[in-house]
Amino acid sequence: DSGVTQTPKHLITATGQRVTLRCSPRSGDLSVYWYQQSLDQGLQFLIQYYNGEERAKGNILERFSAQQFPDLHSELNLSSLELGDSALYFCASSPRGQLQETQYFGPGTRLLVL
Amino acid sequence: GQSLEQPSEVTAVEGAIVQINCTYQTSGFYGLSWYQQHDGGAPTFLSYNALDGLEETGRFSSFLSRSDSYGYLLLQELQMKDSASYFCAVRGDTDKLIFGTGTRLQVFP
């Protein structure tokens, strides 16, 4: 158990819909990262937050947005969902978001878009 | 562009030694990490190399050569539970963590 929690574990929805994925980082960690992992694919970095502010942006679609709240939990919003958005979405956290830090991953949210 | 290459699959038997290579091409470099991911599970951190050389952690070791843009993960005394996917990841100057597509290791009895 990494100490990072994600909800929900599974999500099934239809094309065109909007969903929100939630992540709570490890206690004391200020930085949160979001990743997408499609079937048999590597991890694609989406976005990183540090203490409420966006720090780095990866291959995140305009239909996707995220934020980190004052209590440090983070939400990833996916809108106008398409079939290709079906994937595992992981959240990870690290203490200060520094390059050399280990990232601790949550169990993931499995999203299925029908 | 930025890319990492690793073999898609490696097989070995229990007790053997296996090496998983990773070559990278990135703009800027701040370290090479390795993560393990079991089927259906979350990635877990294994090792991190910022400087050239070998880092050893129990049965696992990781090597980096920055001049060759190359690293490897060495797994010794393989056990069945080591069957998993292994990802190398690089930090570039954009502060992003870029993952390779992963190497699936299958350990046979």
Side-chain angles (χ1 to χ4, degrees):
Chain A
D1 184 1
S2 66
V4 178
T5 60
Q6 290 186 246
T7 56
K9 288 186 95 170
H10 302 275
L11 198 50
I12 302 175
T13 187
T15 54
Q17 295 298 304
R18 173 191 169 94
V19 297
T20 297
L21 313 184
R22 183 187 168 103
C23 167
S24 292
R26 290 189 325 156
S27 177
D29 284 359
L30 299 178
S31 193
V32 167
Y33 309 75
W34 285 98
Y35 294 89
Q36 179 193 56
Q37 186 175 35
S38 301
L39 191 66
D40 294 330
Q41 294 292 310
L43 287 157
Q44 297 292 319
F45 168 71
L46 296 178
I47 198 163
Q48 177 196 2
Y49 281 84
Y50 174 75
N51 206 20
E53 300 290 324
E54 182 184 305
R55 172 167 278 189
K57 214 165 187 175
N59 302 319
I60 187 166
L61 300 172
E62 284 192 16
R63 301 183 286 109
F64 296 1
S65 65
Q67 55 183 324
Q68 186 180 27
F69 295 87
D71 67 351
L72 301 177
H73 91 271
S74 178
E75 293 181 355
L76 178 67
N77 300 295
L78 314 176
S79 61
S80 303
L81 284 168
E82 302 176 358
L83 296 177
D85 297 328
S86 296
L88 256 175
Y89 291 85
F90 287 105
C91 163
S93 74
S94 71
R96 293 171 302 281
Q98 299 293 317
L99 295 173
Q100 70 275 18
E101 289 175 350
T102 298
Q103 293 186 21
Y104 296 89
F105 283 76
T109 293
R110 188 175 294 277
L111 173 66
L112 180 60
V113 182
L114 300 175
Chain B
Q2 306 191 87
S3 65
L4 291 88
E5 285 193 23
Q6 30 178 152
S8 59
E9 191 166 351
V10 174
T11 59
V13 296
E14 270 188 305
I17 300 173
V18 73
Q19 178 174 313
I20 300 174
N21 299 319
C22 174
T23 57
Y24 59 87
Q25 184 176 2
T26 60
S27 53
F29 176 80
Y30 292 94
L32 179 70
S33 302
W34 288 92
Y35 286 78
Q36 177 192 60
Q37 185 180 28
H38 287 97
D39 283 347
T44 55
F45 173 81
L46 291 177
S47 68
Y48 173 78
N49 294 67
L51 303 175
D52 288 355
L54 191 68
E55 294 278 345
E56 297 182 64
T57 309
R59 295 186 297 114
F60 294 0
S61 303
S62 57
F63 172 83
L64 174 66
S65 169
R66 288 176 299 171
S67 60
D68 296 322
S69 297
Y70 163 76
Y72 66 72
L73 180 68
L74 190 73
L75 298 88
Q76 303 182 73
E77 300 172 24
L78 280 174
Q79 302 175 9
M80 296 294 291
K81 68 177 182 180
D82 297 328
S83 294
S85 291
Y86 293 83
F87 295 89
C88 58
V90 170
R91 283 273 194 183
D93 58 8
T94 55
D95 207 22
K96 303 173 191 176
L97 193 62
I98 303 160
F99 282 79
T101 51
T103 298
R104 189 171 186 85
L105 170 64
Q106 292 191 69
V107 180
F108 294 98

